[in-house]
Amino acid sequence: MEVARLLAAEGIDPQIEAHYRLITSVKKTTKIHCHDFFELFLILKGSVIHCINGKRELLSENTLVFIRENDVHYYEEAGEEDCQFINLSFYKHAVYSLFDYLGDGFPRSKLLDPAYPPMVVLSGPERDYVRYRLDNLTLIPQTDKLLLKAEFRALLAELLSRYVMEAVSHHPGDLPDWLRLVCAELKKKEHFVEGMPALLRLSGRTHSYLCRVFKKHLGIQPVEYINRLRLTYAENLLLHTDMEIVDICLEVGFENISYFYQLFKRHYRVTPHKLRSSNRLRMQGSGIKHSYAGLT
């Protein structure tokens, strides 16, 4: 089957460097193709079979997919239900410029190198927020190309850093999709503070099954995964706020301060109090004024 190659120069305004399209039916999509630009699409309604680099996968509502240049893909109807989705296209140099700006901490290789592109399932409110941002673009006159270019780049930066980066940066590539999505949800404060009950609810799996899967794919038990999230959050509260340590303990989900101290010292080789004190001494030695309440 011949693969059509779509070119940015033929479909994207070179002054804006991006293009937005609302696609109301799978029938209106391009047959098998690749392109010399990057693309993001978000499914708003229904489901679709996405054929990507020789793989067929069923995608449902709220799925956000990042398509790299040269990915070969097309869409097929999934039964009788049609699909509506948003498509965003970007000149590749706009994307690579953003990668350079984000720096070495952005896992570009994990995004660009795998055989299949990253995808993430958004929550309902997250989907609505992305749609809101896109709707705002339609209020900008097409003649104001510089403003449109800036708004498109701002949206691209947000989508990459807020959603796509989460999908590729923290877990092995062979993680089951359901587990990757659950881990992403678990990073929300309200979920890791709640702990195991949240994990059980989000996953729909039993405790014993989760223990086996976490050990196999992540090398740790679920409770340890949750506690690492809590401790990381506690570390940042210690370093960047003036909250009392006992309040931080409760804020991150620990009900016993002795247990919190025990886990914190085991993980960081230092007590919470010592970590905060050492950081304040370091800041003073660097001439940085310690005043969280009055920073301007």
Side-chain angles (χ1 to χ4, degrees):
M1 184 181 297
E2 184 178 355
V3 178
R5 183 167 177 81
L6 308 183
L7 304 178
E10 295 178 357
I12 303 175
D13 190 312
Q15 292 179 276
I16 300 174
E17 300 181 348
H19 181 69
Y20 161 51
R21 204 161 53 111
L22 175 64
I23 301 172
T24 57
S25 173
V26 178
K27 298 181 180 66
K28 297 181 179 180
T29 60
T30 306
K31 300 301 182 183
I32 185 167
H33 65 279
C34 64
H35 24 66
D36 68 348
F37 51 88
F38 286 85
E39 186 177 84
L40 283 154
F41 69 84
L42 172 64
I43 299 177
L44 299 176
K45 294 180 181 178
S47 57
V48 67
I49 295 173
H50 186 220
C51 304
I52 175 73
N53 298 337
K55 176 184 177 183
R56 298 173 80 252
E57 52 189 358
L58 177 65
L59 304 181
S60 56
E61 289 183 9
N62 303 347
T63 302
L64 177 70
V65 183
F66 182 83
I67 303 295
R68 295 82 52 95
E69 59 170 326
N70 298 320
D71 278 333
V72 177
H73 72 131
Y74 61 99
Y75 308 91
E76 294 178 351
E77 294 177 83
E80 297 180 357
E81 185 180 25
D82 208 341
C83 181
Q84 181 182 103
F85 55 97
I86 288 170
N87 178 281
L88 284 168
S89 304
F90 297 89
Y91 267 68
K92 63 182 181 181
H93 70 257
V95 179
Y96 283 115
S97 294
L98 179 59
F99 289 167
D100 291 339
Y101 175 74
L102 293 173
D104 294 337
F106 184 81
R108 71 167 76 187
S109 62
K110 291 184 179 180
L111 188 153
L112 299 175
D113 295 346
Y116 305 106
M119 69 174 188
V120 61
V121 179
L122 307 184
S123 66
E126 288 171 328
R127 177 207 59 201
D128 293 342
Y129 172 73
V130 173
R131 183 65 189 270
Y132 163 77
R133 289 293 310 276
L134 289 166
D135 286 344
N136 282 345
L137 288 171
T138 65
L139 299 176
I140 302 174
Q142 288 295 304
T143 53
D144 199 343
K145 296 182 184 295
L146 291 180
L147 179 57
L148 278 167
K149 179 179 178 179
E151 288 289 345
F152 269 113
R153 286 200 170 197
L155 179 58
L156 174 63
E158 185 168 13
L159 292 175
L160 285 179
S161 60
R162 187 171 182 176
Y163 302 119
V164 178
M165 185 174 179
E166 175 64 33
V168 302
S169 61
H170 299 296
H171 304 300
D174 60 351
L175 217 59
D177 287 342
W178 71 267
L179 182 57
R180 176 176 53 79
L181 295 174
V182 165
C183 287
E185 281 294 307
L186 203 57
K187 287 186 171 69
K188 296 178 180 178
K189 181 187 172 185
E190 65 270 23
H191 292 151
F192 69 71
V193 168
E194 183 183 354
M196 277 304 302
L199 177 54
L200 292 168
R201 185 178 65 257
L202 291 167
S203 67
R205 269 71 172 183
T206 65
H207 185 275
S208 58
Y209 181 78
L210 287 171
C211 288
R212 292 196 300 272
V213 172
F214 267 74
K215 189 66 177 178
K216 174 183 177 181
H217 291 283
L218 299 173
I220 57 176
Q221 294 295 332
V223 68
E224 185 177 353
Y225 185 89
I226 291 168
N227 284 339
R228 286 184 181 181
L229 295 175
R230 290 171 166 176
L231 291 173
T232 299
Y233 190 56
E235 176 194 18
N236 280 283
L237 291 179
L238 286 164
L239 296 178
H240 304 301
T241 78
D242 277 333
M243 289 178 64
E244 297 291 338
I245 293 177
V246 65
D247 293 330
I248 290 175
C249 169
L250 297 172
E251 179 75 9
V252 302
F254 293 110
E255 297 180 359
N256 186 310
I257 193 166
S258 297
Y259 182 56
F260 169 60
Y261 261 79
Q262 176 187 337
L263 289 179
F264 195 95
K265 187 172 182 180
R266 183 189 304 164
H267 187 72
Y268 291 104
R269 308 298 186 203
V270 66
T271 66
H273 177 75
K274 182 65 175 177
L275 178 73
R276 172 172 275 177
S277 299
S278 298
N279 182 65
R280 288 179 176 175
L281 288 173
R282 180 185 61 80
M283 292 174 68
Q284 291 169 3
S286 302
I288 302 173
K289 184 179 179 181
H290 174 68
S291 176
Y292 298 107
L295 288 177
T296 59

